[in-house]
mmCIF file of all heavy atoms in Angstrom:
data_model
loop_
_atom_site.group_PDB
_atom_site.id
_atom_site.type_symbol
_atom_site.label_atom_id
_atom_site.label_comp_id
_atom_site.label_asym_id
_atom_site.label_seq_id
_atom_site.Cartn_x
_atom_site.Cartn_y
_atom_site.Cartn_z
ATOM 1 N N LEU A 1 112.932 89.236 69.818
ATOM 2 C CA LEU A 1 112.169 88.005 69.689
ATOM 3 C C LEU A 1 111.463 87.729 71.014
ATOM 4 O O LEU A 1 111.846 88.269 72.055
ATOM 5 C CB LEU A 1 113.100 86.860 69.311
ATOM 6 C CG LEU A 1 113.848 87.046 67.994
ATOM 7 C CD1 LEU A 1 114.822 85.901 67.773
ATOM 8 C CD2 LEU A 1 112.866 87.158 66.837
ATOM 9 N N ALA A 2 110.446 86.885 70.983
ATOM 10 C CA ALA A 2 109.651 86.611 72.189
ATOM 11 C C ALA A 2 110.530 86.136 73.349
ATOM 12 O O ALA A 2 110.379 86.602 74.489
ATOM 13 C CB ALA A 2 108.564 85.585 71.889
ATOM 14 N N ALA A 3 111.452 85.238 73.092
ATOM 15 C CA ALA A 3 112.329 84.728 74.157
ATOM 16 C C ALA A 3 113.198 85.844 74.736
ATOM 17 O O ALA A 3 113.481 85.864 75.942
ATOM 18 C CB ALA A 3 113.206 83.600 73.631
ATOM 19 N N GLN A 4 113.599 86.794 73.903
ATOM 20 C CA GLN A 4 114.410 87.907 74.377
ATOM 21 C C GLN A 4 113.595 88.848 75.258
ATOM 22 O O GLN A 4 114.087 89.331 76.279
ATOM 23 C CB GLN A 4 115.008 88.667 73.190
ATOM 24 C CG GLN A 4 116.008 87.837 72.420
ATOM 25 C CD GLN A 4 116.353 88.422 71.067
ATOM 26 O OE1 GLN A 4 115.601 89.202 70.490
ATOM 27 N NE2 GLN A 4 117.507 88.019 70.547
ATOM 28 N N VAL A 5 112.358 89.102 74.872
ATOM 29 C CA VAL A 5 111.476 89.944 75.697
ATOM 30 C C VAL A 5 111.276 89.298 77.062
ATOM 31 O O VAL A 5 111.409 89.952 78.103
ATOM 32 C CB VAL A 5 110.111 90.163 75.003
ATOM 33 C CG1 VAL A 5 109.118 90.845 75.944
ATOM 34 C CG2 VAL A 5 110.272 90.972 73.730
ATOM 35 N N LEU A 6 110.965 88.010 77.067
ATOM 36 C CA LEU A 6 110.727 87.306 78.332
ATOM 37 C C LEU A 6 111.976 87.264 79.204
ATOM 38 O O LEU A 6 111.905 87.502 80.416
ATOM 39 C CB LEU A 6 110.208 85.899 78.066
ATOM 40 C CG LEU A 6 108.813 85.821 77.436
ATOM 41 C CD1 LEU A 6 108.499 84.391 77.030
ATOM 42 C CD2 LEU A 6 107.763 86.374 78.378
ATOM 43 N N LEU A 7 113.124 86.983 78.615
ATOM 44 C CA LEU A 7 114.369 86.952 79.381
ATOM 45 C C LEU A 7 114.713 88.328 79.920
ATOM 46 O O LEU A 7 115.088 88.468 81.100
ATOM 47 C CB LEU A 7 115.511 86.420 78.510
ATOM 48 C CG LEU A 7 116.872 86.311 79.198
ATOM 49 C CD1 LEU A 7 116.819 85.344 80.380
ATOM 50 C CD2 LEU A 7 117.940 85.882 78.180
ATOM 51 N N ASN A 8 114.555 89.348 79.106
ATOM 52 C CA ASN A 8 114.835 90.718 79.537
ATOM 53 C C ASN A 8 113.938 91.106 80.705
ATOM 54 O O ASN A 8 114.409 91.650 81.709
ATOM 55 C CB ASN A 8 114.662 91.674 78.351
ATOM 56 C CG ASN A 8 115.187 93.053 78.629
ATOM 57 O OD1 ASN A 8 114.628 93.785 79.427
ATOM 58 N ND2 ASN A 8 116.264 93.416 77.949
ATOM 59 N N ASN A 9 112.658 90.817 80.592
ATOM 60 C CA ASN A 9 111.727 91.146 81.672
ATOM 61 C C ASN A 9 112.044 90.361 82.942
ATOM 62 O O ASN A 9 112.016 90.912 84.045
ATOM 63 C CB ASN A 9 110.282 90.889 81.244
ATOM 64 C CG ASN A 9 109.774 91.930 80.271
ATOM 65 O OD1 ASN A 9 110.310 93.022 80.175
ATOM 66 N ND2 ASN A 9 108.753 91.586 79.530
ATOM 67 N N PHE A 10 112.350 89.090 82.790
ATOM 68 C CA PHE A 10 112.683 88.262 83.950
ATOM 69 C C PHE A 10 113.918 88.803 84.669
ATOM 70 O O PHE A 10 113.914 88.997 85.888
ATOM 71 C CB PHE A 10 112.907 86.807 83.511
ATOM 72 C CG PHE A 10 113.432 85.929 84.610
ATOM 73 C CD1 PHE A 10 112.617 85.551 85.664
ATOM 74 C CD2 PHE A 10 114.745 85.492 84.596
ATOM 75 C CE1 PHE A 10 113.105 84.747 86.686
ATOM 76 C CE2 PHE A 10 115.248 84.687 85.605
ATOM 77 C CZ PHE A 10 114.416 84.313 86.661
ATOM 78 N N LEU A 11 114.977 89.050 83.910
ATOM 79 C CA LEU A 11 116.223 89.518 84.526
ATOM 80 C C LEU A 11 116.078 90.904 85.151
ATOM 81 O O LEU A 11 116.639 91.170 86.216
ATOM 82 C CB LEU A 11 117.363 89.510 83.496
ATOM 83 C CG LEU A 11 117.798 88.133 83.014
ATOM 84 C CD1 LEU A 11 118.813 88.256 81.887
ATOM 85 C CD2 LEU A 11 118.341 87.297 84.161
ATOM 86 N N SER A 12 115.315 91.772 84.510
ATOM 87 C CA SER A 12 115.144 93.122 85.071
ATOM 88 C C SER A 12 114.254 93.124 86.308
ATOM 89 O O SER A 12 114.316 94.053 87.112
ATOM 90 C CB SER A 12 114.593 94.084 84.018
ATOM 91 O OG SER A 12 113.273 93.737 83.656
ATOM 92 N N ASP A 13 113.456 92.088 86.492
ATOM 93 C CA ASP A 13 112.605 91.985 87.685
ATOM 94 C C ASP A 13 113.339 91.422 88.896
ATOM 95 O O ASP A 13 112.901 91.616 90.032
ATOM 96 C CB ASP A 13 111.382 91.107 87.402
ATOM 97 C CG ASP A 13 110.342 91.798 86.543
ATOM 98 O OD1 ASP A 13 110.432 93.033 86.374
ATOM 99 O OD2 ASP A 13 109.450 91.105 86.024
ATOM 100 N N ILE A 14 114.429 90.735 88.696
ATOM 101 C CA ILE A 14 115.137 90.099 89.815
ATOM 102 C C ILE A 14 115.542 91.097 90.899
ATOM 103 O O ILE A 14 115.318 90.831 92.086
ATOM 104 C CB ILE A 14 116.323 89.256 89.311
ATOM 105 C CG1 ILE A 14 115.796 88.033 88.564
ATOM 106 C CG2 ILE A 14 117.223 88.822 90.467
ATOM 107 C CD1 ILE A 14 116.870 87.197 87.878
ATOM 108 N N PRO A 15 116.124 92.262 90.564
ATOM 109 C CA PRO A 15 116.464 93.205 91.642
ATOM 110 C C PRO A 15 115.261 93.669 92.462
ATOM 111 O O PRO A 15 115.406 94.001 93.641
ATOM 112 C CB PRO A 15 117.106 94.379 90.905
ATOM 113 C CG PRO A 15 117.634 93.785 89.649
ATOM 114 C CD PRO A 15 116.635 92.717 89.277
ATOM 115 N N ALA A 16 114.095 93.660 91.865
ATOM 116 C CA ALA A 16 112.893 94.075 92.599
ATOM 117 C C ALA A 16 112.629 93.177 93.806
ATOM 118 O O ALA A 16 112.012 93.598 94.783
ATOM 119 C CB ALA A 16 111.685 94.090 91.674
ATOM 120 N N LEU A 17 113.117 91.951 93.741
ATOM 121 C CA LEU A 17 112.941 91.033 94.870
ATOM 122 C C LEU A 17 113.671 91.520 96.119
ATOM 123 O O LEU A 17 113.324 91.135 97.231
ATOM 124 C CB LEU A 17 113.428 89.627 94.493
ATOM 125 C CG LEU A 17 112.686 88.954 93.341
ATOM 126 C CD1 LEU A 17 113.385 87.670 92.937
ATOM 127 C CD2 LEU A 17 111.237 88.704 93.706
ATOM 128 N N ALA A 18 114.687 92.352 95.935
ATOM 129 C CA ALA A 18 115.481 92.832 97.066
ATOM 130 C C ALA A 18 115.111 94.238 97.505
ATOM 131 O O ALA A 18 115.736 94.783 98.423
ATOM 132 C CB ALA A 18 116.961 92.777 96.713
ATOM 133 N N ILE A 19 114.108 94.847 96.905
ATOM 134 C CA ILE A 19 113.744 96.216 97.282
ATOM 135 C C ILE A 19 113.353 96.294 98.753
ATOM 136 O O ILE A 19 113.655 97.270 99.433
ATOM 137 C CB ILE A 19 112.628 96.762 96.363
ATOM 138 C CG1 ILE A 19 113.218 97.041 94.971
ATOM 139 C CG2 ILE A 19 111.999 98.021 96.938
ATOM 140 C CD1 ILE A 19 112.220 97.469 93.939
ATOM 141 N N GLY A 20 112.728 95.256 99.264
ATOM 142 C CA GLY A 20 112.333 95.249 100.678
ATOM 143 C C GLY A 20 113.515 95.299 101.639
ATOM 144 O O GLY A 20 113.351 95.640 102.804
ATOM 145 N N THR A 21 114.712 94.984 101.166
ATOM 146 C CA THR A 21 115.909 95.028 102.015
ATOM 147 C C THR A 21 116.690 96.322 101.827
ATOM 148 O O THR A 21 117.748 96.490 102.428
ATOM 149 C CB THR A 21 116.847 93.846 101.695
ATOM 150 O OG1 THR A 21 117.384 94.008 100.377
ATOM 151 C CG2 THR A 21 116.117 92.517 101.803
ATOM 152 N N ASP A 22 116.175 97.225 101.000
ATOM 153 C CA ASP A 22 116.885 98.460 100.678
ATOM 154 C C ASP A 22 116.961 99.387 101.891
ATOM 155 O O ASP A 22 116.098 99.356 102.767
ATOM 156 C CB ASP A 22 116.175 99.173 99.521
ATOM 157 C CG ASP A 22 117.015 100.273 98.904
ATOM 158 O OD1 ASP A 22 118.238 100.322 99.161
ATOM 159 O OD2 ASP A 22 116.446 101.090 98.152
ATOM 160 N N ASN A 23 117.995 100.203 101.918
ATOM 161 C CA ASN A 23 118.108 101.248 102.932
ATOM 162 C C ASN A 23 117.145 102.374 102.593
ATOM 163 O O ASN A 23 116.847 102.613 101.425
ATOM 164 C CB ASN A 23 119.532 101.807 102.978
ATOM 165 C CG ASN A 23 120.538 100.780 103.432
ATOM 166 O OD1 ASN A 23 120.224 99.897 104.218
ATOM 167 N ND2 ASN A 23 121.754 100.888 102.923
ATOM 168 N N VAL A 24 116.702 103.085 103.616
ATOM 169 C CA VAL A 24 115.810 104.217 103.429
ATOM 170 C C VAL A 24 116.590 105.468 103.788
ATOM 171 O O VAL A 24 117.275 105.518 104.815
ATOM 172 C CB VAL A 24 114.548 104.081 104.315
ATOM 173 C CG1 VAL A 24 113.637 105.284 104.135
ATOM 174 C CG2 VAL A 24 113.807 102.791 103.989
ATOM 175 N N ASP A 25 116.502 106.499 102.943
ATOM 176 C CA ASP A 25 117.183 107.758 103.219
ATOM 177 C C ASP A 25 116.600 108.411 104.466
ATOM 178 O O ASP A 25 115.389 108.336 104.717
ATOM 179 C CB ASP A 25 117.034 108.715 102.035
ATOM 180 C CG ASP A 25 117.685 108.188 100.771
ATOM 181 O OD1 ASP A 25 118.713 107.491 100.888
ATOM 182 O OD2 ASP A 25 117.174 108.483 99.674
ATOM 183 N N ASP A 26 117.450 109.052 105.246
ATOM 184 C CA ASP A 26 117.007 109.719 106.477
ATOM 185 C C ASP A 26 115.886 110.712 106.215
ATOM 186 O O ASP A 26 114.942 110.802 106.998
ATOM 187 C CB ASP A 26 118.191 110.429 107.153
ATOM 188 C CG ASP A 26 119.190 109.447 107.745
ATOM 189 O OD1 ASP A 26 118.798 108.284 108.011
ATOM 190 O OD2 ASP A 26 120.353 109.842 107.940
ATOM 191 N N GLU A 27 115.984 111.458 105.120
ATOM 192 C CA GLU A 27 114.951 112.466 104.822
ATOM 193 C C GLU A 27 113.574 111.839 104.623
ATOM 194 O O GLU A 27 112.557 112.478 104.857
ATOM 195 C CB GLU A 27 115.334 113.299 103.608
ATOM 196 C CG GLU A 27 115.142 112.600 102.281
ATOM 197 C CD GLU A 27 115.186 113.534 101.087
ATOM 198 O OE1 GLU A 27 115.764 114.615 101.195
ATOM 199 O OE2 GLU A 27 114.622 113.156 100.057
ATOM 200 N N ALA A 28 113.535 110.598 104.201
ATOM 201 C CA ALA A 28 112.246 109.923 103.980
ATOM 202 C C ALA A 28 111.612 109.492 105.294
ATOM 203 O O ALA A 28 110.427 109.157 105.322
ATOM 204 C CB ALA A 28 112.440 108.717 103.080
ATOM 205 N N LEU A 29 112.385 109.517 106.367
ATOM 206 C CA LEU A 29 111.875 109.081 107.667
ATOM 207 C C LEU A 29 111.460 110.236 108.573
ATOM 208 O O LEU A 29 110.969 110.000 109.669
ATOM 209 C CB LEU A 29 112.948 108.243 108.387
ATOM 210 C CG LEU A 29 113.381 106.968 107.660
ATOM 211 C CD1 LEU A 29 114.547 106.326 108.389
ATOM 212 C CD2 LEU A 29 112.226 106.010 107.529
ATOM 213 N N THR A 30 111.639 111.470 108.128
ATOM 214 C CA THR A 30 111.368 112.624 108.983
ATOM 215 C C THR A 30 109.884 112.829 109.257
ATOM 216 O O THR A 30 109.515 113.263 110.342
ATOM 217 C CB THR A 30 111.954 113.909 108.383
ATOM 218 O OG1 THR A 30 111.411 114.098 107.070
ATOM 219 C CG2 THR A 30 113.467 113.831 108.317
ATOM 220 N N ALA A 31 109.054 112.549 108.276
ATOM 221 C CA ALA A 31 107.604 112.742 108.459
ATOM 222 C C ALA A 31 106.866 111.819 107.495
ATOM 223 O O ALA A 31 107.409 111.453 106.450
ATOM 224 C CB ALA A 31 107.225 114.201 108.174
ATOM 225 N N PRO A 32 105.646 111.448 107.836
ATOM 226 C CA PRO A 32 104.867 110.609 106.919
ATOM 227 C C PRO A 32 104.658 111.317 105.579
ATOM 228 O O PRO A 32 104.536 112.537 105.528
ATOM 229 C CB PRO A 32 103.528 110.422 107.643
ATOM 230 C CG PRO A 32 103.781 110.797 109.053
ATOM 231 C CD PRO A 32 104.915 111.760 109.059
ATOM 232 N N LYS A 33 104.661 110.562 104.519
ATOM 233 C CA LYS A 33 104.463 111.117 103.178
ATOM 234 C C LYS A 33 103.128 110.633 102.631
ATOM 235 O O LYS A 33 102.720 109.507 102.852
ATOM 236 C CB LYS A 33 105.579 110.658 102.228
ATOM 237 C CG LYS A 33 106.987 110.960 102.711
ATOM 238 C CD LYS A 33 107.327 112.406 102.537
ATOM 239 C CE LYS A 33 108.790 112.641 102.787
ATOM 240 N NZ LYS A 33 109.100 113.398 103.945
ATOM 241 N N ARG A 34 102.470 111.520 101.911
ATOM 242 C CA ARG A 34 101.221 111.171 101.238
ATOM 243 C C ARG A 34 101.517 110.882 99.778
ATOM 244 O O ARG A 34 102.375 111.504 99.179
ATOM 245 C CB ARG A 34 100.220 112.320 101.336
ATOM 246 C CG ARG A 34 99.755 112.572 102.763
ATOM 247 C CD ARG A 34 98.642 113.601 102.798
ATOM 248 N NE ARG A 34 97.540 113.228 101.951
ATOM 249 C CZ ARG A 34 96.437 112.611 102.358
ATOM 250 N NH1 ARG A 34 96.294 112.313 103.628
ATOM 251 N NH2 ARG A 34 95.473 112.318 101.519
ATOM 252 N N TRP A 35 100.793 109.929 99.215
ATOM 253 C CA TRP A 35 100.925 109.634 97.796
ATOM 254 C C TRP A 35 100.381 110.805 96.994
ATOM 255 O O TRP A 35 99.322 111.348 97.300
ATOM 256 C CB TRP A 35 100.136 108.383 97.435
ATOM 257 C CG TRP A 35 100.790 107.124 97.911
ATOM 258 C CD1 TRP A 35 100.580 106.490 99.095
ATOM 259 C CD2 TRP A 35 101.783 106.381 97.229
ATOM 260 N NE1 TRP A 35 101.358 105.379 99.193
ATOM 261 C CE2 TRP A 35 102.125 105.284 98.044
ATOM 262 C CE3 TRP A 35 102.418 106.511 96.013
ATOM 263 C CZ2 TRP A 35 103.061 104.347 97.687
ATOM 264 C CZ3 TRP A 35 103.352 105.568 95.651
ATOM 265 C CH2 TRP A 35 103.661 104.506 96.483
ATOM 266 N N ASN A 36 101.082 111.173 95.960
ATOM 267 C CA ASN A 36 100.662 112.242 95.062
ATOM 268 C C ASN A 36 100.515 111.608 93.675
ATOM 269 O O ASN A 36 101.508 111.410 92.970
ATOM 270 C CB ASN A 36 101.704 113.364 95.063
ATOM 271 C CG ASN A 36 101.337 114.506 94.131
ATOM 272 O OD1 ASN A 36 100.584 114.349 93.178
ATOM 273 N ND2 ASN A 36 101.906 115.666 94.415
#
């Protein structure tokens, strides 16, 4: 139902707010990466 879609999307987006605080793997810091 519409309310379920909206609630599901809202709740699944909440963790995205914390992505900026995530740890970065050491291998990702070894050299600049280009978008592919």
Side-chain angles (χ1 to χ4, degrees):
L1 300 176
Q4 294 166 338
V5 171
L6 293 171
L7 181 61
N8 191 291
N9 286 340
F10 172 72
L11 293 173
S12 67
D13 286 346
I14 291 173
L17 298 172
I19 288 175
T21 67
D22 194 15
N23 295 329
V24 179
D25 297 327
D26 290 338
E27 76 165 23
L29 299 173
T30 57
K33 305 284 190 248
R34 294 187 55 97
W35 286 92
N36 179 336

